[in-house]
Amino acid sequence: MLPFANISQHIEHIIHSLAEQGYVIIPAFLPDDFISALRNEALTLQAAGKLERATIGKAEHNTLDHKIRGDLIHWLDHVDASVVQQDFSRIMEALRESLNEHLFLGLFELENHFAIYPPGAIYNKHLDQFRGNEERQVSCILYLNEAWEEKDGGQLRLYLDGKEPTPYIDTVPHGGTLVVFLSSQFWHEVLPASQPRISLTGWFRKRSTTLP
């Protein structure tokens, strides 16, 4: 049984929106106390020195460049997950099953990490699906910030027409907001914020298919 009563309705909305427009933004996807528990885990990991500077590119060609990407990350270990992480995994597993049932995406797992952007950090315009590799199919970002206001910055800018500069939509990273979009279709970037910006970011993946 899923931990929150309204999750099934949210999942139906996600499926419909992905089919119609390829993305969806859901405020208050999860309750404040659940978001607070996840946020505290991210901050505890940071205090323990367990977040690492994020890299750019595929594993064999990773590079560090804070002018392009400035977040600190910690990949979740689903084998040794906390109770709140297990509940989150159950929710996302229900979403994965529905995506496969209704959109026939062939998703087999979720990879995700905590991400903390220090004040002023950015992530330049990019696509989540690597060239020549179609594993990442659906991107999911759950914001964990507390009492965030639009003036704090840190918006996710989602470009709606490939690399074209317009049109775009900006999402303020209010705690509890979930953004889901097709990884191969939407270029996006993270704008600078005036305070630390926290999220749980992940990708539903299909089995490896490396293109020539």
Side-chain angles (χ1 to χ4, degrees), residues 125 158-168 187:
K125 186 189 294 187
L158 195 68
Y159 293 90
L160 303 182
D161 187 17
K163 288 186 176 182
E164 295 299 318
T166 57
Y168 64 81
W187 290 77

Side-chain angles (χ1 to χ4, degrees), residues 160-193:
L160 303 182
D161 187 17
K163 288 186 176 182
E164 295 299 318
T166 57
Y168 64 81
I169 54 173
D170 283 349
T171 299
V172 177
H174 294 297
T177 295
L178 178 72
V179 181
V180 182
F181 57 90
L182 298 178
S183 303
S184 64
Q185 294 188 18
F186 294 94
W187 290 77
H188 54 286
E189 66 177 311
V190 176
L191 304 183

